[in-house]
Amino acid sequence: MQLYINEHIKYIKSLDKKQQDYEYWLTEHLRLNGIYWGLTALCCLDASDVFDRDEVIEFVKSCWDSETGGFSAYKDHDAHLVTTLSALQILATYDALHELSDTEVDACVEFIKGNQLADGSFQGDRFGEVDTRFSYTALSSLSILGRLTPEVVDPAVEFIKRCYNFDGGFGLCPGAESHAAQAFTCVGALAIVNRLSDLTEEQITTIACWLCERQVPEGGLNGRPNKLPDVCYSWWVLSTLAIIDRLDWVDHGELRKFILKSQDPKEGGISDRPDNEVDVFHTLFGLAGLSLMGFDGLIPLDPVYCMPLSVTTKFRKYPYI
């Protein structure tokens, strides 16, 4: 099966042209994340110039919350660690971090650090939800800004290590159910701060075994046992395996088939599984999974940051890529 590159580019390009649609305004809370997903997918397709760079940067800057120092999904929404990372990823991809003043950077760093709790975990925002996703987004954001420090990193690492489960997975907090996305956020966070050595070889092998068990007969990957396969786990699982040097522990041929069957060959885009509605989230992570497997014609993405390797060389510290 082929990858419909031109159709995917057209699909992503069309997403911001639907401002008359009711659904467009229902997704304000995802707008900044959506731009990151679309831009990174275009980078993977070697078509990053499809978006208007200046317009995107201006939109990102409009999402900065001067009261908290973080970035929100849309102007006048609440700032959050997840959308703050998306903003920084977009600016870094466009080599535009200099568009932020020193005052804005300092405020952003304080916003991130201010959401770290006494046990080393991070809440996403002032409302207090704790999740290892936010540990990853916080450490990734500080890494992009070049502002990682031991007083933030050391307790964060200890919290992440407490989220490791006996089966080889990680939960969103200590004692929570193992989930493939949490495996990525925890292992990825350790990679960002160059602390993969905190995991023993036995733990790494157990993590890899649990992750490769996520492949189901349809060829796709799921997030937890007894769940349906979903294209997005082509990224969460493969990226984690790549970070721990076990990328070949799943059947690439069957996974490629599953992703390619999930495309819309006429309108473009990739869905969570074959015959479902496409969206930009699954389009990015389907392409990202294919990229990690070395699919011809796709630009390599960094398995830790989910950004082009050509961008992350400017700030990543881990030594193995």
Side-chain angles (χ1 to χ4, degrees):
M1 295 182 67
Q2 73 178 89
L3 179 65
Y4 297 97
I5 292 177
N6 291 332
E7 287 75 12
H8 295 325
I9 293 172
K10 291 177 183 176
Y11 164 71
I12 296 167
K13 185 178 181 180
S14 73
L15 292 176
D16 201 46
K17 309 299 182 184
K18 300 180 178 181
Q19 297 186 19
Q20 302 305 313
D21 293 355
Y22 180 57
E23 291 83 358
Y24 181 91
W25 298 106
L26 286 179
T27 56
E28 268 190 5
H29 65 292
L30 294 173
R31 189 76 71 242
L32 192 57
N33 301 109
I35 292 173
Y36 158 70
W37 298 329
L39 175 61
T40 306
L42 289 172
C43 288
C44 194
L45 295 165
D46 197 18
S48 59
D49 58 349
V50 166
F51 282 174
D52 186 305
R53 179 183 183 275
D54 292 340
E55 286 185 5
V56 171
I57 292 173
E58 190 61 33
F59 175 77
V60 171
K61 291 168 64 178
S62 76
C63 293
W64 185 66
D65 181 359
S66 61
E67 292 187 11
T68 65
F71 287 85
S72 59
Y74 199 81
K75 186 178 179 181
D76 298 328
H77 284 226
D78 290 320
H80 195 282
L81 287 182
V82 171
T83 45
T84 295
L85 175 58
S86 290
L88 297 176
Q89 288 172 314
I90 294 165
L91 294 177
T93 298
Y94 279 134
D95 195 21
L97 287 171
H98 63 274
E99 296 274 352
L100 300 177
S101 68
D102 290 344
T103 299
E104 289 170 332
V105 170
D106 289 343
C108 187
V109 170
E110 289 307 309
F111 170 74
I112 297 166
K113 292 168 63 176
N115 280 296
Q116 188 170 28
L117 304 179
D119 64 354
S121 66
F122 283 85
Q123 59 185 12
D125 56 19
R126 62 189 176 87
F127 295 106
E129 180 187 8
V130 172
D131 189 323
T132 46
R133 288 179 302 155
F134 309 145
S135 299
Y136 171 85
T137 53
L139 296 177
S140 184
S141 295
L142 292 173
S143 173
I144 291 170
L145 292 172
R147 302 289 285 270
L148 286 169
T149 56
E151 60 262 32
V152 172
V153 170
D154 291 343
V157 168
E158 291 307 310
F159 175 77
I160 289 168
K161 288 160 60 177
R162 292 197 298 274
C163 296
Y164 175 77
N165 291 325
F166 72 93
D167 59 5
F170 288 82
L172 59 85
C173 63
E177 179 185 13
S178 293
H179 194 285
Q182 311 303 142
F184 165 76
T185 59
C186 292
V187 174
L190 293 177
I192 285 171
V193 299
N194 207 15
R195 293 283 293 272
L196 285 174
S197 59
D198 280 43
L199 299 173
T200 67
E201 283 300 317
E202 181 180 1
Q203 285 177 319
I204 288 175
T205 298
T206 308
I207 292 167
C209 289
W210 187 83
L211 288 170
C212 69
E213 289 172 354
R214 306 279 58 77
Q215 191 159 33
V216 299
E218 296 95 322
L221 304 165
N222 62 20
R224 294 173 288 163
N226 302 314
K227 296 294 183 179
L228 292 174
D230 186 319
V231 160
C232 71
Y233 294 109
S234 306
W235 170 260
W236 308 120
V237 172
L238 283 186
S239 59
T240 314
L241 289 171
I243 293 168
I244 59 177
D245 197 25
R246 304 291 194 281
L247 186 57
D248 60 349
W249 280 31
V250 297
D251 188 327
H252 288 193
E254 290 303 307
L255 180 55
R256 286 192 194 99
K257 290 178 185 176
F258 178 77
I259 297 171
L260 295 175
K261 287 178 182 176
S262 302
Q263 301 178 100
D264 183 332
K266 294 183 179 180
E267 301 297 328
I270 301 175
S271 60
D272 58 347
R273 59 186 63 90
D275 301 321
N276 281 0
E277 189 73 21
V278 304
D279 60 73
V280 68
F281 175 86
H282 289 92
T283 299
L284 165 60
F285 292 118
L287 293 172
L290 291 172
S291 175
L292 286 177
M293 291 186 284
F295 198 93
D296 287 344
L298 295 181
I299 299 299
L301 295 182
D302 190 313
V304 172
Y305 290 93
C306 197
M307 298 168 66
L309 277 169
S310 59
V311 174
T312 62
T313 53
K314 299 172 184 176
F315 51 78
R316 60 180 164 85
K317 302 298 184 185
Y318 52 94
Y320 62 91
I321 290 181

